[in-house]
Amino acid sequence: MKSLWSASEAAQFTTDLELRVYTSRLLGRDPSLVLHGGGNTSVKIREPSMLGREEDILYVKGSGWDLATIEAPGFAPVRMQHLIELATLPSLPDPQMVNELKTHMTNASAPTPSVEAILHAVLPFKFVDHTHADAIVTVTNNPNGRQYIEEIYGNSVVVIDYIMPGFDLARQCAKQFAEQAHTGTQGMVLMNHGVFSFGETARESYERMIALVDKAEDFIKEKGAWNVSFSARKTNAAPQAIARLRKDIADSAGFPMIVARDDHEKATAFSQRDDVDTISQQGPATPDHVIRTKPLPMLGTDVNRFVAGYKNYFDTNEPHARDRKTMLDVAPRLVIDKQLGLLAAGKNAKDAAIIRDIYDHTIDIILRAEQLGGYRALPARDIFDMEYWDLEQAKLKRGGKSPMFTGEVALVTGAASGIGKACVDSLLARGAAVVGLDNNTAVSDMHERVDYLGLVCDVGEEQQIAHALERTVMRFGGIDMLVLNAGVFPGGKQIAELPLAEFQRVMRINLDANISFMRQCHPYLKLAPKGGRVVLMGSKNVPAPGPGAAAYSASKAALVQVGRIAALEWGGDNIRVNILHPDAVFDTGIWTKEVLAARAEYYGLTVDQYKRKNILKTEVTSHDVAELATELCGPLFAKTTAAQLPIDGGNDRVI
Ligand code: ZN
């Protein structure tokens, strides 16, 4: 564990709050210290109130902020005096505690203060840092944890036995700190949970955190428990088995989920271990994780068995809770299977990625703790209290209403430009995880986000399609929506001059490739939790063909017929197939300025008049077509299949 403090970086931050921002980000930069919203930090600052009275304010991390990216507005300012007085109460239920924190802020629009605010307040240091460092939970989740902590730190830390975060923990820490701390005290270790450091400057508090964690890492190394070796056997992770599993998981949850396979060798090797049934079933590395991961991963692929186990855990522990609880969804968040490897199930792609990251660290923690004498997590009852803690539930609920396609997967062909690119945007905007395919390599880095995967694919090659579908399923768990947009529109050629090879080339891309996609996607679409949906990009040329476009019009007409038959054949599988007929969409690659000007001139029109050459005198954009394609997959059209919708501003030949 190395300090990342840099004098030149630090020089850009001057005030105490700015330096608090800087060292919080340093903690956030190292995932073995802080993962996805974990940990919290604070600084105590004396400042004048509106009435000119000097008062001490605790600036503590606000809920919803991540230390890695936190900014000054991410710290909630709470009056110290009130916090110190609250800490003397014999008890304070969580909802009231949150109310007290919120009503004693000096800025009404600041975020909700961390639930550990009172704990930060009672530690008598200007700066306080708290993490769930991997090395600390490795050492403390152990039958000899307490003894190890004494070996590592002597009496330089105060050690707190596990208590659930909240008011009771703050009180216990205040009490023990007052009794046990001395001038040599460097920090506070919370068994099975994490570690606190503190200091008079941002740097001192940060460097102490690094030193404390470094000592724990050294201890693990001295005991020969640091290095974990692994080698995975070849797996047989069939994409269809993963899609089947995703369907079962979604059914148990009651909503679609993204299932992401962790294809790192470490994860696969872990899932193949002989002792995985034992070591994976102890519990999370720190109680915070249970909100994301649920108490235990599912072993194997029998979701019903997992659900029964989860219900039993709820029924066993709920009667001991302080107030009555409503059961959360019962779906697993992690799957460990000897054939399929390690998979993370999340409400969306970001959620699944976070769960995968958490377990990636958990594997290291488990394996090192095993080499250190045995990995032992907290009893199920403590984990239950955390999972069903009102305040933690509130964190998850704050997200608000989910977008339309949350947890669903869409695949778009011809995704690098024009209508395809716009479809990717429209689907992402509605919460879907999207895979974009194109033969243009630009498709790969069109979006840098976890819910997008861009793959270079020649749709004319069946093998390449198969490979793209396999990668889609490994990344997101299935395919729910298929938008077949890729197509070619060769320059006008009359039939008398049309070589057969050119006709066949157009048919191969506009027709054959789409048949390949439909055939290969059918098994996945059938397993879509909310039913499969296919949107085919037809053309105005189907109902109203023009001279010089025989190959194009014939290919699109044939595609429409294929779509109609698919609607008949697949209705029983709950798959809807609908068709759009766009026309004169000019914001695409093929319509350069020059081509547009030439066509307008040919008709004796200005470019603008030419673009609006339709009944409604309106311009049809790629975005317009994409929005309609996307809505065709949504609930508005839930009872529509085999429909053909024009999106052309009205065309008198079609009408
Ligand atoms: Zn904590």
Side-chain angles (χ1 to χ4, degrees), residues 38-40 116 130-132 165 169 190 193-196 286-288 386:
N40 41 61
E116 322 231 57
H130 169 50
T131 73
H132 306 143
L169 174 64
L190 277 52
H193 172 170
V195 57
F196 276 83
T286 183
D288 238 27
M386 195 72 188

Side-chain angles (χ1 to χ4, degrees), residues 442-462:
V443 78
S444 313
D445 37 37
M446 234 161 58
H447 297 278
E448 248 193 74
R449 39 193 287 178
V450 290
D451 52 1
Y452 175 76
L453 175 65
L455 298 174
V456 179
C457 176
D458 177 351
V459 298
E461 298 292 333
E462 284 219 297

Side-chain angles (χ1 to χ4, degrees), residues 594-607 610:
E594 295 71 36
V595 175
L596 255 176
R599 296 309 295 162
E601 202 191 323
Y602 175 83
Y603 285 100
L605 300 170
T606 67
V607 168
Y610 178 68

